[in-house]
Amino acid sequence: MNKYRLENWDWYQLLEEADIGEVSFEKGPLINTWFREIKDNRNNYLHIDTSVEDQETLSGSLIYHREIDKREEYEIFHFYLSNDTLITFDYKDNSLHIDRNNFIQEIKRAQTPIEGFMVILGKILTEILYHIDSYEEQLDELIWDVKQRNSIKTLDKVYQSRHELLIWKNVMIPFLEIRYSLEEAFGEKITKGKEYARVSKRMERGLTLVEEYQKELNNLVDFEEVVSQHRGNEIMKTLTVFTTLCTPIMAWGALWGMNFKIMPELEWKLGYLFSLAIIIGSTVVVFFYLKSRGWMGDLLKVRKKNSFFR
């Protein structure tokens, strides 16, 4: 256990279940009650107790890291927050982007446990924002893939990216709930703290980025649907035109393929050439009819390099 005695408050960073006894001895039996409620919890959870004035508490659990491809791979920590105490259990500040010494110094500068808790949330959000920033490069590559080498594989990448973004949003939304819960539990006075304001802006920045990236992905999905629909229509149009042009061949072929005993055309000297002339003539008539209706060419007349529809 790491215990920090600060100017106006205490922070207990519990790493093992055995540490709870010492904290309970110092802070009272309510700590044992809190620990029994949360120690086996594996989901986001919040509990506010405002039954006693000036002794409000906020406790719960927060999933602060999650693997994109593995549902069961995530990290969660539990916390207890009062006007003079912050207790965290299972929180591991092992980020590659955060200097632990600077992190501890920021905690020590916090004037209240609420500010100290916001420092912790701020560091977690910083780590999440690093992942979101790297996601931007992936999204940019995907946008150009859609134009240059669009395929089912590209569409799969779009939906994989969409799923990844949903994971990050799912991780960040509980932070927003905690912010509102802090105001509900301890009043609006806490919103005047520097760390509270800074971390609140960080939350808004992260969620805004996620929402904007979601809009870009939604536009990509809409674009893919338009392209797929157009190509499907082109295929159906081509098959329809081909079938229509072959109709005279099939019709005349069916007529002269009958096995009636008396068929005068079979005795004609130029019957074969006559039949070919009728078949070709009928096909040409059908062709020019379709062309006059505008059904033969590309309806959008797009023939340029790097076209989305060719």
Side-chain angles (χ1 to χ4, degrees):
M1 176 179 71
N2 297 322
K3 181 166 62 174
Y4 301 91
R5 296 282 188 185
L6 306 175
E7 184 177 352
N8 300 313
W9 59 283
D10 301 323
W11 176 29
Y12 298 86
Q13 188 178 20
L14 310 183
L15 303 175
E16 298 178 1
E17 187 173 341
D19 296 334
I20 197 65
E22 182 179 345
V23 182
S24 179
F25 178 77
E26 294 184 14
K27 296 297 180 178
L30 286 177
I31 304 303
N32 279 327
T33 303
W34 160 73
F35 191 75
R36 284 196 301 270
E37 291 176 352
I38 57 86
K39 67 176 182 178
D40 296 323
N41 183 51
R42 302 303 300 168
N43 296 298
N44 288 312
Y45 164 76
L46 278 179
H47 175 70
I48 300 174
D49 185 357
T50 57
S51 58
V52 180
E53 189 173 357
D54 294 328
Q55 295 183 26
E56 298 87 354
T57 64
L58 174 68
S59 59
S61 306
L62 176 66
I63 295 174
Y64 65 101
H65 176 74
R66 185 183 287 276
E67 292 293 331
I68 299 300
D69 299 324
K70 300 176 182 178
R71 181 179 180 181
E72 302 302 326
E73 293 290 331
Y74 62 88
E75 294 182 77
I76 185 171
F77 81 97
H78 314 284
F79 59 88
Y80 177 92
L81 189 61
S82 68
N83 287 302
D84 61 359
T85 304
L86 170 61
I87 304 171
T88 59
F89 175 64
D90 259 358
Y91 172 64
K92 305 175 184 67
D93 47 325
N94 53 3
S95 168
L96 299 176
H97 306 101
I98 297 172
D99 187 303
R100 177 171 171 77
N101 292 326
N102 291 338
F103 171 55
I104 296 300
Q105 290 303 316
E106 287 189 53
I107 289 282
K108 290 181 177 180
R109 287 199 301 268
Q111 298 297 308
T112 66
I114 292 123
E115 288 282 284
F117 185 55
M118 292 302 284
V119 170
I120 293 174
L121 296 185
K123 296 307 177 186
I124 297 172
L125 284 168
T126 297
E127 182 71 12
I128 293 174
L129 286 171
Y130 271 107
H131 289 286
I132 293 176
D133 287 341
S134 63
Y135 176 85
E136 183 178 359
E137 182 178 347
Q138 173 186 334
L139 181 59
D140 182 71
E141 181 180 348
L142 188 59
I143 289 172
W144 285 102
D145 277 352
V146 167
K147 180 175 182 180
Q148 295 172 350
R149 44 181 176 271
N150 199 13
S151 64
I152 293 296
K153 185 177 180 180
T154 303
L155 183 60
D156 183 67
K157 286 182 181 179
V158 170
Y159 277 90
Q160 290 289 348
S161 295
R162 206 176 189 185
H163 176 261
E164 181 176 344
L165 208 57
L166 285 173
I167 295 295
W168 290 123
K169 189 171 185 179
N170 181 257
V171 171
M172 292 185 68
I173 287 176
F175 287 81
L176 196 61
E177 184 183 5
I178 288 176
R179 193 187 86 178
Y180 293 139
S181 298
L182 286 169
E183 294 182 32
E184 181 182 348
F186 301 103
E188 292 186 359
K189 60 183 180 181
I190 66 168
T191 62
K192 299 177 181 179
K194 183 184 294 185
E195 286 299 331
Y196 183 91
R198 179 183 292 126
V199 176
S200 294
K201 286 297 181 182
R202 197 169 300 168
M203 289 180 192
E204 293 173 8
R205 176 161 64 97
L207 286 170
T208 299
L209 282 174
V210 169
E211 288 174 2
E212 291 302 317
Y213 290 152
Q214 273 190 320
K215 290 179 183 178
E216 288 192 42
L217 281 173
N218 289 339
N219 288 337
L220 279 180
V221 171
D222 292 341
F223 170 80
E224 289 282 43
E225 289 177 353
V226 170
V227 172
S228 298
Q229 184 178 8
H230 174 77
R231 288 178 176 172
N233 290 341
E234 282 291 302
I235 292 171
M236 292 304 299
K237 186 189 76 172
T238 301
L239 292 175
T240 302
V241 168
F242 182 78
T243 302
T244 304
L245 287 175
C246 290
T247 298
I249 300 174
M250 293 184 291
W252 292 111
L255 176 64
W256 288 313
M258 296 178 181
N259 293 319
F260 290 112
K261 186 175 182 179
I262 299 176
M263 291 187 68
E265 298 92 333
L266 297 178
E267 303 297 330
W268 292 357
K269 183 175 181 180
L270 299 177
Y272 179 70
L273 293 177
F274 177 76
S275 65
L276 287 178
I278 289 184
I279 290 173
I280 293 172
S282 302
T283 303
V284 169
V285 169
V286 171
F287 172 81
F288 280 105
Y289 174 76
L290 294 177
K291 188 175 179 63
S292 69
R293 303 289 294 181
W295 296 343
M296 292 299 296
D298 187 344
L299 297 179
L300 298 181
K301 297 187 182 301
V302 175
R303 292 287 187 266
K304 295 181 181 180
K305 186 178 180 180
N306 289 329
S307 171
F308 291 114
F309 299 98
R310 293 293 296 168

